Amino acid sequence: MLQTIFASGADPVGHVVDKNINEWLTLSMLSIVAGFAVAMFVLVKAAKAIQTGPESDGNRRYITTSRLGQVIEVMVLHLRDEMLKPVMGERLANTWTPFLLSQFFFVLTLNLFGLVPWADMQEAVFVVFGHHPHFDVPANFSQKSAVYFGGTATASILVTGGLATVSLVAILYQSIRELGILGTLEHLCGGPDLVRGPIFLWLVIPLIFVVELAGLIIKPAALAIRLFANMVAGHTLLAVLFGFGAAAAKAGAGTFGVASITLLSGTFGVLISFLELFVALLQAFIFMFLTAVFISLMSHGDDHAHDEEHSHDHADSHGHAPATAAAH
Amino acid sequence: MILASSDPIAFDTIAPYITAVVVFVVFFAIFAQFIMPTITKGLDDRNNKILGEIAAAEAARTEAKAAQAAFEKRLVEAQDEATKTIAAARADAQRIAGELRTKAEAELADLKRRAHDDMESARKQAVADLEAHAAHLAVSVAGRILGREIKPADQSTLIADSLKELAATRN
């Protein structure tokens, strides 16, 4: 009965990665759908609290009364007015704020949803009732699941890749919308100065095109990998800390030793959980913010260096956000 | 997982990827279509309400300032008018008092003159009566003293002498 706990203690990474429930359904897919439902519920409730009330309420109809509504309102106002508008400009920010905020709230919900130990609670129930479905799962699944619900969807590279693909589509859409297809190609070939410049400079255009195209794909890929890596790393760290006691027991430590190690590592685990709460928020913000930066970069067809300089300025003025993201 | 699979594009391999894209697109559609406009409208309504209240307060303050300025202007005008009215009344009073004084002085002078004339006339009459009486008396006295009747020529001489004496006595 304790084998599964010992096993999870010995294999913390296995505790974090996505698992199959049947031939095609995975835990991350259920988490995405559940996260979608939770985010919808919270945002609709918040929107109702923020919207103007009936005339009979007098001046109070303009006040957001619910705490949830106030939290969402602060987030929306701060992200829109203090982050997106300074980075993208008024016009672009007005166009892209719904998309970028939906990205933020979606990723944030999935990140936070992953912090709730749904899977562990199910494991505990299975342990209590003495039957573990781990043994019923067909052996041909790459990752066998002992549970039917839980896990961090954004700890799957496929999920973060999907979200980053949407970002890539948004970046390309904005570029084509602003510059046209030819303008976008021209941008990818080094800009009008190079394309319409001296003929001998055309020799470098293929090289620039390859680099720019690679950059176009690498940017969202970096978004996906950054989010995935942060979620996996954080949850692995938590699994390691919470599994120390089981690992000690497996290694033959006495009761006092196991209890001491569990208490110490559990305390650190709780503290790291607070850090993970912050990371969940930070990574959602970074995913959204970098998408906003890439969209605004692709919408400028002029001086490339100027754009880069701009992005660095924005990063500096907002606490080195991209640098922080990369470092994290 | 994709690389490990024998069929890289099999649905069961990329199902989480497709789920993430589809669910997010649905989420974005609902968020952009219904939730964000509701939130934005609520925030805009509040902003407009606050800006409207501030504008109304500014207008009311401007109006109050204008009303105060007009009131102060009217107050100054009223004070000027009152000062002018008081000055005019004072001038009228002075003028009327002057006229009354002049008239009273004239009347007094006239009264004085008439009284003086009356007195003069009465004095003259009295003097004349006295003279006549004195003359008559003198003549009587003289007649009695002399025991004879005085002729008119003597009488005239006597009267003239008496008058001279009387005049000398008066002086």
Side-chain angles (χ1 to χ4, degrees):
Chain A
M1 194 167 70
L2 289 172
Q3 280 176 342
T4 52
I5 296 178
F6 290 162
S8 65
D11 180 22
V13 178
H15 188 76
V16 174
V17 294
D18 198 11
K19 298 179 186 70
N20 278 76
I21 292 169
N22 63 22
E23 284 82 359
W24 57 271
L25 188 64
T26 66
L27 286 178
S28 64
M29 292 164 69
L30 285 181
S31 292
I32 290 170
V33 175
F36 168 83
V38 169
M40 272 296 143
F41 175 75
V42 168
L43 289 171
V44 167
K45 208 167 157 52
K48 279 183 180 170
I50 294 169
Q51 75 177 348
T52 309
E55 291 276 339
S56 57
D57 286 353
N59 281 336
R60 283 188 64 78
R61 70 182 186 274
Y62 295 104
I63 296 172
T64 306
T65 47
S66 88
R67 295 275 178 246
L68 183 72
Q70 288 167 350
V71 169
I72 298 295
E73 179 184 315
V74 167
M75 284 182 174
V76 169
L77 279 176
H78 184 73
L79 292 175
R80 186 188 69 177
D81 297 341
E82 306 297 328
M83 296 292 168
L84 297 179
K85 282 185 180 174
V87 169
M88 306 181 83
E90 184 89 17
R91 183 181 61 87
L92 264 187
N94 285 338
T95 307
W96 286 100
T97 293
F99 171 77
L100 294 166
L101 285 184
S102 65
Q103 248 188 352
F104 172 76
F105 285 120
F106 193 69
V107 173
L108 177 65
T109 310
L110 294 185
N111 289 352
L112 292 177
F113 197 76
L115 284 177
V116 184
W118 305 109
D120 306 278
M121 287 192 279
Q122 288 168 76
E123 293 262 14
V125 170
F126 295 144
V127 168
V128 168
F129 286 99
H131 173 74
H132 203 294
H134 176 77
F135 304 112
D136 302 335
V137 176
N140 60 346
F141 287 179
S142 57
Q143 293 288 336
K144 297 168 189 173
S145 175
V147 296
Y148 298 103
F149 185 63
T152 312
T154 43
S156 164
I157 187 69
L158 287 170
V159 173
T160 58
L163 295 173
T165 304
V166 178
S167 288
L168 174 64
V169 171
I171 292 165
L172 281 173
Y173 171 75
Q174 172 59 28
S175 181
I176 291 169
R177 183 166 168 257
E178 188 101 349
L179 309 172
I181 293 175
L182 288 177
T184 302
L185 285 173
E186 193 177 73
H187 182 83
L188 289 174
C189 291
D193 291 343
L194 192 62
V195 174
R196 295 168 200 173
I199 292 176
F200 68 90
L201 283 178
W202 288 6
L203 292 171
V204 294
I205 286 179
L207 184 65
I208 289 177
F209 180 75
V210 170
V211 171
E212 285 282 348
L213 195 63
L216 186 67
I217 294 163
I218 286 169
K219 281 171 189 168
L223 284 180
I225 292 168
R226 182 184 296 110
L227 180 58
F228 159 75
N230 273 283
M231 289 300 113
V232 168
H235 288 70
T236 305
L237 179 60
L238 282 178
V240 167
L241 287 171
F242 287 122
F244 260 143
K250 194 180 178 185
T255 310
F256 179 74
V258 171
S260 304
I261 290 171
T262 304
L263 186 66
L264 191 66
S265 62
T267 306
F268 275 107
V270 170
L271 294 177
I272 294 295
S273 294
F274 285 110
L275 179 68
E276 281 302 301
L277 269 176
F278 172 68
V279 170
L281 196 73
L282 180 71
Q283 289 305 317
F285 166 72
I286 287 170
F287 197 95
M288 176 214 71
F289 187 74
L290 288 184
T291 302
V293 170
F294 297 151
I295 286 173
S296 56
L297 283 182
M298 284 302 285
S299 66
H300 295 296
D302 49 6
D303 187 9
H304 205 74
H306 172 73
D307 287 340
E308 291 291 338
E309 190 181 310
H310 245 298
S311 77
H312 290 149
D313 287 345
H314 292 319
D316 287 343
S317 65
H318 292 289
H320 301 277
T324 311
H328 199 82
Chain B
M1 288 171 79
I2 291 174
L3 294 175
S5 171
S6 57
D7 183 2
I9 56 166
F11 175 74
D12 59 343
T13 311
I14 60 166
Y17 177 89
I18 294 169
T19 308
V21 172
V22 171
V23 173
F24 175 72
V25 168
V26 173
F27 179 83
F28 164 59
I30 296 172
F31 185 83
Q33 194 65 34
F34 301 108
I35 297 173
M36 194 64 194
T38 309
I39 292 174
T40 309
K41 187 177 180 307
L43 297 175
D44 288 348
D45 283 352
R46 189 188 310 160
N47 275 355
N48 293 337
K49 168 76 175 170
I50 292 168
L51 290 175
E53 293 291 330
I54 291 171
E58 295 252 350
R61 195 176 67 174
T62 309
E63 202 174 327
K65 271 188 175 176
Q68 189 185 10
F71 171 75
E72 283 175 356
K73 191 181 169 191
R74 279 208 300 272
L75 193 65
V76 169
E77 285 173 358
Q79 281 174 342
D80 287 349
E81 201 172 335
T83 308
K84 282 177 189 169
T85 306
I86 290 168
R90 191 171 287 156
D92 283 349
Q94 284 175 350
R95 181 178 54 76
I96 290 167
E99 285 174 3
L100 284 175
R101 192 185 301 120
T102 309
K103 191 177 173 187
E105 282 173 357
E107 282 179 358
L108 188 62
D110 186 47
L111 194 64
K112 229 164 113 178
R113 184 180 51 75
R114 274 190 285 155
H116 188 263
D117 289 349
D118 287 348
M119 282 170 63
E120 190 62 28
S121 168
R123 188 182 67 82
K124 283 180 179 172
Q125 184 65 41
V127 168
D129 288 349
L130 187 61
E131 283 176 354
H133 185 69
H136 178 72
L137 190 60
V139 169
S140 300
V141 170
R144 279 178 196 156
I145 294 169
L146 293 176
R148 61 168 182 103
E149 195 175 334
I150 299 171
K151 294 178 185 172
D154 297 334
Q155 193 174 346
S156 297
T157 307
L158 279 172
I159 288 169
D161 292 344
S162 298
L163 284 175
K164 281 178 185 171
E165 284 175 13
L166 188 64
T169 308
R170 282 177 63 199
N171 291 332

